[in-house]
Amino acid sequence: MIGWLDCSAGASGDMLLGVLVDVGVPLAVLQDAVGALGVGLVLRAEAVSRAGLGATRVHVVVPADDATTRTWADVRALLQASFLAAGVRAAALAVFARLAAAEAGVHRVPIDDVHFHEVGAHDALADVVGVCAGFAHLGLDRLVASPVALGSGTTRGAHGPLPVPAPAVLALLAGVPVHAGAALFESCTPTGAALLAELVGSWQALPSMAVDRVGVGAGGRDVEEVANVLRLVLGPAADLAVSAADVVVAANVDDLDPRLWPGVLQQLLDAGAADAWLTPILMKKGRPAQTLSVLCCRDVLPAVQQAVFCQTSSLGLRTTVVEKTSLDRGEHVVAVDGQPVRVKTGLLGGRVVNAQPEWDDIAAAAAALDRPAKQVLAQAVAAAQVLWP
């Protein structure tokens, strides 16, 4: 079973709690985990509507006489002393460690002195522990998510107004695909960002899967700009995606200055081609030449054909319909001495069968670390070993 989070309207701790309840995790599972902290937090679920969509919102009820502000050291001690299941405790500690590191960097204070008022000390405890317990209950083989909408404008922090995206959110989602989205407010909170960064294995559009269940979790606002919900789609992975709508455009070219070819290939990719390549051939009268091949879908075929005619000396093209079989794809981010490196993954039946670091990231990390690229590549490949089954 895999899960896909639709973060097109952002993510927050309460949205994640809501989507878990809506997809079928009993509220009691989340409440038992939150109750194991022993600080009197209570969860309450409510059916709501956001832009006409039915959704579940989960509220965190805090004891009226509890005005405690906790540091990272306090939260760490509380979690370590709790009666949480070992896996849930470890996940919650990892999430709070990310939050603390991000807040420490933003405020430039020692990490153990970080106060969690910026993320709501009580809400954050309930959100993090409840969400970690909820995903543990689902027992997913893999959790993936769409690029994350962060929002825009300003928000109010404990020390005054903050720009959106919030500085801590940007720190937490370094290396993750993000965008502003339609919301004119903070659509991704630090707690939501930390949970996503810890629990999500890769970032992509809806993967190949058979839809089994869909949950909808609500944010606090009901606005016109966007349906303020987070969706979770559950189901088994589809082994292979097969498409018969692709074509290969080909042409033999023997009279083009070879210095032009790199630009030609880039122009074809910019026109929407999925891939473009050259194959050396020998033509009539012993002329050396190149076969230009371009793989694309039918929707961009006119643009690709125009690019070939405009960018090369070809007078004619061959177009062949092909059936393409492809693996489900994902993206994971690993760190090489603090430098983010994206790793492309290919999955078969939900299991990684290929993992390859992005060369542009390798080159950037090598330059930042002043090391040979081959060394950084070897470190990235080693870091990516955790992705393999």
Side-chain angles (χ1 to χ4, degrees):
M1 181 79 72
I2 65 173
W4 178 71
L5 284 167
D6 175 10
C7 302
S8 57
S12 63
D14 58 337
M15 291 168 81
L16 283 159
L17 288 173
V19 83
L20 285 164
V21 172
D22 202 67
V23 88
V25 177
L27 183 64
V29 169
L30 311 185
Q31 181 61 63
D32 287 347
V34 171
L37 297 174
V39 293
L41 299 174
V42 176
L43 302 181
R44 178 173 62 84
E46 175 190 15
V48 298
S49 176
R50 295 289 181 265
L53 296 177
T56 296
R57 187 176 182 205
V58 171
H59 301 268
V60 179
V61 182
V62 180
D65 57 348
D66 190 345
T68 306
T69 297
R70 293 181 173 87
T71 65
W72 163 224
D74 296 329
V75 171
R76 185 171 61 236
L78 177 65
L79 290 171
Q80 289 171 339
S82 71
F83 294 102
L84 288 167
V88 175
R89 181 190 301 110
L93 282 166
V95 172
F96 269 109
R98 289 178 181 269
L99 268 170
E103 295 287 353
V106 167
H107 299 294
R108 303 187 183 183
V109 298
I111 191 168
D112 277 348
D113 292 342
V114 167
H115 288 73
F116 285 110
H117 50 245
E118 291 288 8
V119 293
H122 300 95
D123 280 356
L125 278 169
D127 292 345
V128 170
V129 171
V131 170
C132 290
F135 278 108
H137 177 82
L138 288 176
L140 299 177
D141 299 314
R142 185 163 55 101
L143 180 65
V144 299
S146 72
V148 186
L150 305 184
S152 59
T154 60
T155 188
R156 193 77 187 175
H159 304 293
L162 290 172
V164 174
V169 170
L170 292 176
L172 286 160
L173 296 181
V176 172
V178 298
H179 59 103
L184 303 177
F185 54 86
E186 182 183 42
S187 55
C188 185
T189 65
T191 305
L195 284 162
L196 292 177
E198 179 63 28
L199 300 176
V200 173
S202 60
W203 309 87
Q204 63 182 96
L206 181 65
S208 299
M209 61 187 297
V211 176
D212 180 27
R213 286 178 282 164
V214 179
V216 185
R221 304 175 189 236
D222 189 10
V223 295
E224 295 181 357
E225 300 98 326
V226 63
N228 191 22
V229 297
L230 175 73
R231 295 188 297 165
L232 175 60
V233 182
L234 301 181
D239 285 349
L240 296 171
V242 180
S243 170
D246 292 322
V247 296
V248 171
V249 176
N252 295 344
V253 182
D254 65 358
D255 56 354
L256 187 71
D257 188 319
R259 293 173 295 183
L260 296 173
W261 279 120
V264 170
L265 297 178
Q266 186 58 54
Q267 288 284 339
L268 290 166
L269 295 175
D270 292 344
D275 201 1
W277 64 96
L278 295 174
T279 306
I281 60 172
L282 194 65
M283 292 181 60
K284 58 187 177 183
K285 301 180 182 179
R287 296 176 183 169
Q290 303 281 354
T291 294
L292 170 65
S293 301
V294 189
L295 176 67
C296 66
C297 66
R298 289 186 180 275
D299 291 344
V300 300
L301 179 58
V304 166
Q305 291 172 327
Q306 180 177 350
V308 173
F309 285 130
C310 292
Q311 301 296 328
T312 78
S313 55
S314 177
L315 299 176
L317 302 174
R318 302 182 299 277
T319 301
T320 306
V321 177
V322 296
E323 182 178 273
K324 185 177 75 173
T325 302
S326 60
L327 294 173
D328 188 16
R329 300 182 187 186
E331 183 176 275
H332 192 84
V333 179
V334 300
V336 176
D337 289 342
Q339 298 298 314
V341 176
R342 290 169 294 167
V343 178
K344 295 182 295 186
T345 56
L347 302 107
L348 183 63
R351 296 166 61 89
V352 172
V353 295
N354 284 305
Q356 190 63 241
E358 287 280 4
W359 179 253
D360 288 347
D361 291 1
I362 294 294
L369 297 170
D370 193 24
R371 295 180 189 167
K374 65 178 183 181
Q375 180 181 345
V376 176
L377 177 61
Q379 290 177 275
V381 170
Q385 290 303 305
V386 298
L387 304 177
W388 293 84

